[in-house]
Amino acid sequence: MSETKKVPKRGLSTYCFYPMMDVNMDLEDIFVHMQDMGAVGLEILADGIIENYPYPSNKWLDKWFSLIDRYGIVPVEYGHWVESRLVPGREATVEECLEQLIRDIKLANYLGFTCMRTKLSVCDEILTPVSNWREVIKRALPYAEKYNVVMQPEIHNPTKLTDPMIMDYVEFIEKEKTKYFGFNVDFGVFQDKEVEGMNRPRFMPLDPSKPEDIIPLLPYIHCCHAKYYNMSEDFEETTIPYRKVIDIMIGHGWDGYLLSEYEGPKKTDINHCITQVRRHQLFMKNILGK
């Protein structure tokens, strides 16, 4: 019997529906849409979804596990921040950052997540992380391993997949011989066309990453933000070379989660957002064959 071909799996980020959460819809509404679309993998932004974050009540936890079970949702990525500038005039110490990380690692594990989008504070416009990131992450690794949660910073434009910062991350991973630190590659790094109707400064990178730039990073990627800005009426993302990127992933046997993340215009229009995410999920289903 031939071995089943590995392909990425579909999911979405609750960010697709901001700022409608708790206004036009709640978490269960999102799960209803996910079940209907066959998008089983979930990313949450912890402080926007978890009631009384980071100390949820037993009532909220009971509802969370009930909904996860009822709709067959797979918790994939727990989005959180390591806040390095909580105290005016100075960066947080390693111990202060570590305390935040350990807290979120434990909570992510308890909620069923296997990786975290660990957003490190940055110190410039190209998203270079704070200087003490190595020590912070190194000290958190034993906790990540104990609770089986992979920490992964998001690689977001204007960062390129070939930037020295990425090589620093790879060097750290290989030096520490760890499986508990990696990447979330945001597909916006591949954006090569303008977004029509965007009422904000130009967001497209001047020199986007090439689809093949992702190849050496695939062993360190546990899930991706499948960013989309505009889904056309014929179910194509018009600004990012999606098919080339996903074909490369399939060709190299990468089978993590692609999490739809909408960042296009008219985000406050709930009907527009739902239409866009449904088009995006069908678009990915057509490419992946499932």
Side-chain angles (χ1 to χ4, degrees):
M1 182 180 295
S2 60
E3 186 175 335
T4 303
K5 189 175 184 180
K6 291 183 177 181
V7 297
K9 298 178 282 286
R10 291 187 291 123
L12 62 78
S13 172
T14 55
Y15 189 73
C16 290
F17 300 100
Y18 278 82
M20 286 83 65
M21 287 295 298
D22 299 323
V23 178
N24 304 90
M25 63 194 312
D26 60 17
L27 188 60
E28 184 167 8
D29 293 322
I30 291 177
F31 286 4
V32 168
H33 285 292
M34 289 179 68
Q35 185 182 64
D36 188 51
M37 293 184 286
V40 298
L42 174 70
E43 180 199 53
I44 67 169
L45 301 185
D47 64 348
I49 293 295
I50 300 173
E51 187 178 289
N52 199 39
Y53 167 83
Y55 307 109
S57 66
N58 288 334
K59 180 181 178 180
W60 187 90
L61 290 169
D62 288 345
K63 182 178 180 181
W64 166 263
F65 290 117
S66 174
L67 291 176
I68 289 291
D69 183 63
R70 183 185 311 166
Y71 293 99
I73 301 301
V74 177
V76 174
E77 186 173 52
Y78 173 103
H80 74 121
W81 288 257
V82 179
E83 298 287 2
S84 296
R85 297 186 176 89
L86 291 175
V87 180
R90 69 169 178 85
E91 288 186 354
T93 66
V94 170
E95 288 72 20
E96 288 168 334
C97 293
L98 184 62
E99 182 180 355
Q100 297 175 53
L101 260 175
I102 294 171
R103 177 198 69 198
D104 280 306
I105 286 170
K106 290 179 177 179
L107 182 53
N109 167 266
Y110 188 75
L111 296 178
F113 291 92
T114 53
C115 67
M116 306 197 307
R117 187 228 52 187
T118 299
K119 199 82 166 182
L120 300 163
S121 293
V122 300
C123 52
D124 56 33
E125 292 183 357
I126 61 171
L127 310 183
T128 304
V130 288
S131 59
N132 66 0
W133 71 266
R134 290 175 182 83
E135 187 176 357
V136 172
I137 297 299
K138 183 174 181 176
R139 290 183 58 182
L141 285 175
Y143 298 93
E145 182 172 2
K146 177 180 178 180
Y147 291 96
N148 192 35
V149 178
V150 179
M151 298 174 285
Q152 47 179 34
E154 179 184 10
I155 310 305
H156 194 293
N157 65 19
T159 304
K160 290 184 63 177
L161 299 184
T162 53
D163 281 350
M165 175 180 118
I166 307 303
M167 300 306 107
D168 286 346
Y169 284 147
V170 171
E171 180 183 18
F172 175 86
I173 293 167
E174 294 180 347
K175 180 181 178 181
E176 299 300 327
K177 297 180 172 61
T178 182
K179 298 179 181 179
Y180 292 93
F181 186 69
F183 307 115
N184 173 332
V185 171
D186 182 290
F187 276 25
V189 300
F190 304 112
Q191 183 191 352
D192 59 7
K193 293 181 179 65
E194 292 281 5
V195 183
E196 294 183 10
M198 293 290 281
N199 296 317
R200 55 176 172 157
R202 190 171 185 267
F203 200 60
M204 185 177 73
L206 295 176
D207 185 19
S209 296
K210 299 178 178 63
E212 57 268 26
D213 291 340
I214 202 171
I215 294 173
L217 303 181
L218 287 173
Y220 314 116
I221 299 171
H222 301 276
C223 66
C224 287
H225 276 164
K227 176 66 58 62
Y228 61 103
Y229 297 102
N230 181 60
M231 293 302 306
S232 67
E233 292 183 2
D234 57 353
F235 305 99
E236 290 289 332
E237 212 294 329
T238 64
T239 69
I240 295 167
Y242 253 89
R243 294 179 186 275
K244 291 181 180 179
V245 178
I246 293 180
D247 282 348
I248 286 171
M249 292 176 140
I250 293 173
H252 286 79
W254 189 85
D255 62 351
Y257 278 91
L258 296 177
L259 304 168
S260 294
E261 187 191 42
Y262 179 55
E263 205 161 4
K266 301 179 182 178
K267 190 183 286 188
T268 56
D269 181 345
I270 186 171
N271 294 317
H272 178 82
C273 290
I274 292 172
T275 297
Q276 287 283 298
V277 73
R278 284 183 168 272
R279 287 179 181 176
H280 188 253
Q281 283 292 319
L282 184 56
F283 168 62
M284 290 203 296
K285 183 178 180 180
N286 289 339
I287 297 174
L288 298 171
K290 67 174 187 177

